[in-house]
Amino acid sequence: MSTSVVPPLSTAPRRSSYDVVIIGGAVMGSSVAWFLSSNDDFDGTVLVVERDPSYEFTSTARTNSCMRQQYSNELNIRISRFSADYVRNFRRWMGDDPEVPHLAVHHFGYMYLAGDERFAATLRASQVLQSSLGAATVIMSPDEIAAEYPFYNVDDIVCGSHNTVDEGWFDSATMFDWWRRKARLAGVEYVTGEVVAIDRSDGVIAGVTLASGETVACGTLVNASGPRAAATARMAGLELPVEPRKRYTVVFDAAEPLARALPLTIDPTGVHVRSDGDVYVAGSTPEIDPAVPFDDFRMDPDVWEEQIWPVLAHRIPAFERAKVLSQWAGHYAHNTLDHNAVIGPHTEVGNFIFINGFSGHGMQQSPAMGRGVSELVTYGRYRTLDLTPLGYDRIARGEPFLETAII
């Protein structure tokens, strides 16, 4: 039960060998750890190595915790459909433990706005696919948008794509906390440390070396190191097109609050904004978007005035008068090939497993991804949702996984 004492964090592994070593204990690593530990068919040992147990600068800690089904690729839609069910039934998935809380979910939906016919056609085609898979997405004309959400300026909008069923914001911090807690109670060992070397010999990962000097053997190595994923892969002599890209978030108050919750609105410019209780959260991609150092979390002081606020004031005139309450920069683990996840074994080193490159979709995809990796480790194949199209072989071939709904 959750009233049991969670084992303390340590800086030294208790064993010299583990069946699974997971590099990175943020949301992806902890999802894998929990799904493995809760699987009755898995009876192995698991070590999670996390360099920063505060998680202060992880993508997990700086997420906007959003969830959507509005993708253009069937697999991404199915991943989100599972995640929506998982979040809605969190306590059941956590073994019906009465101490596990129900997750707070706010289904105000997403609203993709098309400013030209080309993107409108993309939204319409995606809506047909989403609907066929059970999503409640609808295409709205400018007049329909204005009637339901009169605060938008739709003079330059061709159409909107909207869904208020299982789309919006959820309490990802609680989900993450309980994954870690339950995994540790089930025997998963978390240590504070950093992997500085990976032992690869004869096409197999044999183990890792920690900065403290300990060496740990493993049967399977899982790369869950977020924006640092490529550096982790290089320690094994492998290449991965993932790099840290900076993304900005601004929390603001409006002098004229809207009369109803604001869907997560993606403007044609790429600026996005949503309600967060009595305030609003906006974000954007930098106009110049290079890879950045792992420790670069400096906020651009001009991004609000020059990039975000002018767009918001045009799209939602009530935001003409707004006050910034807080702002920060976070990192996307950006897949430079196609902005989508890389999951599964390396094509030549079969016991090196990727769960990387989510490019901003990680939190909402983490339930399906953790389950998928746990199935690979336990059964040698996916048993529920086939994630093979997101495998490393497409990286090796240089063939992108096609997805048009990228924020």
Side-chain angles (χ1 to χ4, degrees):
M1 291 292 292
S2 57
T3 53
S4 300
V5 177
V6 177
L9 292 175
S10 171
T11 57
R14 294 194 298 268
R15 304 168 182 266
S16 60
S17 178
Y18 294 81
D19 294 294
V20 180
V21 170
I22 302 171
I23 303 178
V27 71
M28 289 301 168
S30 291
S31 178
V32 173
W34 179 79
F35 273 98
L36 279 172
S37 66
S38 64
N39 187 338
D40 291 339
D41 293 331
F42 177 79
D43 59 359
T45 53
V46 180
L47 173 70
V48 178
V49 182
E50 171 53 50
R51 62 189 304 276
D52 178 15
S54 76
Y55 301 98
E56 179 182 2
F57 294 106
T58 62
S59 300
T60 297
R62 294 174 178 242
T63 178
N64 287 340
S65 302
C66 296
M67 179 183 293
R68 62 185 164 106
Q69 298 163 59
Q70 292 189 62
Y71 289 94
S72 67
N73 188 288
E74 177 177 343
L75 180 53
N76 276 336
I77 298 168
R78 292 190 182 280
I79 289 169
S80 286
R81 295 280 290 164
F82 170 70
S83 294
D85 176 80
Y86 187 93
V87 167
R88 199 184 322 107
N89 298 289
F90 182 61
R91 179 181 289 176
R92 176 172 60 80
W93 280 98
M94 300 299 287
D96 286 319
D97 182 345
E99 294 193 18
V100 174
H102 295 292
L103 295 182
V105 183
H106 303 276
H107 289 148
F108 47 61
Y110 272 62
M111 175 73 81
Y112 274 89
L113 296 174
D116 56 47
E117 286 292 346
R118 181 176 180 179
F119 189 51
T122 297
L123 290 180
R124 293 185 185 109
S126 296
Q127 185 274 336
V128 171
L129 176 61
Q130 292 156 19
S131 180
S132 73
L133 296 172
T137 313
V138 296
I139 298 297
M140 302 177 70
S141 69
D143 288 345
E144 290 170 331
I145 296 171
E148 189 165 348
Y149 298 99
F151 46 73
Y152 286 122
N153 169 18
V154 293
D155 290 347
D156 55 352
I157 295 301
V158 176
C159 73
S161 179
H162 190 32
N163 178 7
T164 58
V165 179
D166 290 332
E167 287 200 348
W169 174 92
F170 74 103
D171 183 3
S172 63
T174 296
M175 180 179 74
F176 172 48
D177 179 63
W178 277 92
W179 278 348
R180 285 180 296 154
R181 187 181 308 187
K182 285 286 196 178
R184 291 167 65 190
L185 285 170
V188 174
E189 185 179 345
Y190 276 65
V191 297
T192 300
E194 185 172 3
V195 172
V196 295
I198 296 174
D199 179 8
R200 173 186 168 188
S201 57
D202 297 325
V204 175
I205 302 301
V208 301
T209 300
L210 305 185
S212 54
E214 290 99 340
T215 59
V216 179
C218 64
T220 299
L221 183 66
V222 178
N223 181 358
S225 49
R228 297 173 180 265
T232 298
R234 280 195 293 272
M235 285 191 281
L238 308 175
E239 293 299 318
L240 181 68
V242 172
E243 60 189 27
R245 297 278 187 96
K246 195 180 290 187
R247 294 293 181 267
Y248 300 117
T249 298
V250 179
V251 179
F252 66 95
D253 194 5
E256 302 176 45
L258 305 180
R260 61 176 298 182
L262 175 64
L264 195 151
T265 303
I266 301 95
D267 189 79
T269 62
V271 170
H272 53 89
V273 60
R274 66 167 173 88
S275 288
D276 192 348
D278 295 330
V279 298
Y280 303 93
V281 177
S284 69
T285 300
E287 293 180 352
I288 300 174
D289 189 26
V292 297
F294 297 131
D295 60 353
D296 180 5
F297 291 93
R298 294 170 297 172
M299 183 68 191
D300 183 341
D302 299 322
V303 71
W304 168 256
E305 290 285 346
E306 296 183 2
Q307 189 174 346
I308 297 177
W309 176 73
V311 172
L312 298 184
H314 168 73
R315 186 61 55 213
I316 304 173
F319 289 166
E320 176 72 29
R321 291 188 297 149
K323 178 183 178 181
V324 173
L325 302 177
S326 62
Q327 52 188 328
W328 63 85
H331 288 173
Y332 271 10
H334 184 82
N335 178 350
T336 60
L337 176 65
D338 58 21
H339 313 269
N340 279 275
V342 182
I343 184 168
H346 188 268
T347 48
E348 298 177 4
V349 185
N351 69 334
F352 187 104
I353 293 183
F354 299 94
I355 182 168
N356 306 115
F358 290 90
S359 306
H361 310 141
M363 186 60 74
Q364 63 186 287
Q365 294 190 330
S366 57
M369 297 299 167
R371 180 182 66 171
V373 169
S374 75
E375 289 172 352
L376 285 179
V377 172
T378 305
Y379 309 112
R381 61 184 179 86
Y382 298 117
R383 291 183 32 156
T384 50
L385 187 59
D386 185 5
L387 302 174
T388 303
L390 292 169
Y392 186 85
D393 58 344
R394 83 179 195 280
I395 305 297
R397 298 191 309 267
E399 297 178 5
F401 176 90
L402 297 180
E403 174 58 69
T404 61
I406 300 297
I407 300 175

Coordinates of all heavy atoms in Angstrom, one line a residue, residues 70 108-113 140 145 149 152 159-163 167 263-267:
Q70 N -5.5 15.6 -31.6 CA -5.5 16.3 -32.9 C -4.1 16.1 -33.5 O -3.3 17.1 -33.6 CB -5.9 17.7 -32.8 CG -7.4 17.9 -32.4 CD -7.9 19.3 -32.5 OE1 -7.9 19.9 -33.6 NE2 -8.3 19.9 -31.4
F108 N -11.0 21.6 -21.7 CA -11.4 22.8 -22.5 C -11.0 22.7 -24.0 O -11.4 23.5 -24.8 CB -10.8 24.1 -21.9 CG -9.3 24.1 -21.6 CD1 -8.4 23.8 -22.5 CD2 -8.9 24.3 -20.3 CE1 -7.1 23.8 -22.2 CE2 -7.6 24.2 -20.0 CZ -6.6 24.0 -20.9
G109 N -10.2 21.6 -24.3 CA -9.9 21.3 -25.6 C -8.8 22.1 -26.3 O -8.2 23.0 -25.7
Y110 N -8.5 21.7 -27.5 CA -7.5 22.5 -28.4 C -8.3 23.2 -29.4 O -9.4 22.7 -29.8 CB -6.6 21.5 -29.0 CG -5.3 21.2 -28.3 CD1 -5.4 20.5 -27.0 CD2 -4.1 21.5 -28.8 CE1 -4.2 20.3 -26.3 CE2 -2.9 21.2 -28.1 CZ -3.0 20.6 -26.9 OH -1.8 20.3 -26.2
M111 N -7.8 24.3 -29.9 CA -8.4 25.0 -31.1 C -7.3 25.3 -32.0 O -6.5 26.3 -31.8 CB -9.2 26.2 -30.6 CG -9.7 27.1 -31.8 SD -11.1 26.4 -32.6 CE -12.4 26.9 -31.4
Y112 N -7.1 24.5 -33.1 CA -6.2 24.9 -34.1 C -6.9 25.8 -35.1 O -8.0 25.6 -35.6 CB -5.8 23.6 -34.9 CG -4.7 22.8 -34.4 CD1 -4.9 21.8 -33.4 CD2 -3.4 23.1 -34.8 CE1 -3.8 21.1 -32.9 CE2 -2.3 22.4 -34.3 CZ -2.5 21.4 -33.4 OH -1.5 20.6 -32.9
L113 N -6.2 27.0 -35.3 CA -6.8 28.0 -36.2 C -6.0 28.0 -37.5 O -4.8 28.1 -37.5 CB -6.8 29.4 -35.6 CG -7.6 29.5 -34.3 CD1 -7.4 30.9 -33.7 CD2 -9.1 29.3 -34.7
M140 N -14.8 23.8 -37.4 CA -15.7 25.0 -37.2 C -15.4 26.1 -38.2 O -14.2 26.4 -38.5 CB -15.6 25.5 -35.8 CG -15.8 24.5 -34.7 SD -15.6 25.1 -33.0 CE -16.9 26.2 -32.9
I145 N -17.1 29.6 -34.8 CA -16.2 29.9 -33.8 C -16.6 31.2 -33.0 O -16.6 31.2 -31.8 CB -14.7 30.1 -34.4 CG1 -14.2 28.8 -35.0 CG2 -13.8 30.6 -33.3 CD1 -12.9 29.0 -35.8
Y149 N -17.3 31.1 -29.2 CA -16.2 31.8 -28.5 C -16.1 33.2 -29.0 O -15.2 33.6 -29.8 CB -14.9 31.1 -28.7 CG -14.9 29.7 -28.2 CD1 -15.1 28.6 -29.0 CD2 -14.6 29.4 -26.8 CE1 -15.1 27.3 -28.5 CE2 -14.6 28.1 -26.3 CZ -14.8 27.1 -27.2 OH -14.8 25.8 -26.7
Y152 N -12.7 35.6 -29.8 CA -11.7 35.5 -30.8 C -12.0 36.5 -31.9 O -13.1 36.8 -32.3 CB -11.8 34.1 -31.5 CG -11.2 33.0 -30.8 CD1 -12.1 31.9 -30.5 CD2 -9.9 32.9 -30.4 CE1 -11.6 30.8 -29.8 CE2 -9.4 31.8 -29.7 CZ -10.3 30.7 -29.4 OH -9.8 29.6 -28.8
C159 N -10.8 28.5 -40.9 CA -11.6 27.5 -40.1 C -10.8 27.2 -38.8 O -9.6 27.6 -38.7 CB -11.8 26.2 -40.9 SG -10.4 25.1 -41.1
G160 N -11.4 26.4 -37.9 CA -10.8 26.0 -36.7 C -11.1 24.5 -36.6 O -12.1 24.0 -37.0
S161 N -10.1 23.8 -35.9 CA -10.3 22.4 -35.6 C -10.3 22.3 -34.1 O -9.4 22.7 -33.4 CB -9.1 21.6 -36.1 OG -9.3 20.2 -35.8
H162 N -11.4 21.7 -33.5 CA -11.7 21.8 -32.1 C -12.2 20.5 -31.5 O -12.9 19.8 -32.2 CB -12.7 22.9 -31.9 CG -12.9 23.3 -30.4 ND1 -11.9 23.3 -29.5 CD2 -14.0 23.7 -29.8 CE1 -12.4 23.7 -28.3 NE2 -13.7 24.0 -28.4
N163 N -11.8 20.2 -30.3 CA -12.2 19.0 -29.6 C -12.2 19.2 -28.1 O -11.1 19.6 -27.6 CB -11.3 17.8 -30.0 CG -11.7 16.5 -29.3 OD1 -12.7 16.5 -28.6 ND2 -10.8 15.5 -29.4
E167 N -9.3 16.4 -24.3 CA -8.3 17.3 -24.7 C -8.2 18.5 -23.8 O -9.3 19.0 -23.3 CB -8.5 17.8 -26.1 CG -8.2 16.8 -27.2 CD -8.0 17.4 -28.6 OE1 -8.2 18.7 -28.7 OE2 -7.5 16.7 -29.5
P263 N -9.8 27.5 -24.8 CA -9.1 26.3 -25.3 C -7.6 26.6 -25.6 O -7.2 27.7 -25.7 CB -9.9 26.0 -26.6 CG -11.1 26.7 -26.5 CD -10.9 27.9 -25.7
L264 N -6.9 25.5 -25.6 CA -5.5 25.7 -26.0 C -5.5 26.1 -27.4 O -5.7 25.2 -28.3 CB -4.6 24.5 -25.7 CG -3.1 24.8 -25.8 CD1 -2.3 23.8 -24.9 CD2 -2.6 24.8 -27.2
T265 N -5.2 27.3 -27.7 CA -5.4 27.9 -29.0 C -4.1 28.0 -29.7 O -3.1 28.6 -29.2 CB -6.1 29.3 -28.9 OG1 -7.3 29.2 -28.2 CG2 -6.3 29.9 -30.3
I266 N -4.0 27.4 -30.9 CA -2.8 27.5 -31.7 C -3.0 28.4 -32.8 O -3.8 28.1 -33.8 CB -2.3 26.1 -32.2 CG1 -2.0 25.1 -31.1 CG2 -1.0 26.3 -33.0 CD1 -3.2 24.3 -30.7
D267 N -2.5 29.6 -32.7 CA -2.6 30.7 -33.7 C -1.9 30.3 -35.0 O -0.9 29.5 -34.9 CB -2.1 32.0 -33.2 CG -2.4 33.2 -34.1 OD1 -3.6 33.7 -34.0 OD2 -1.5 33.6 -34.8

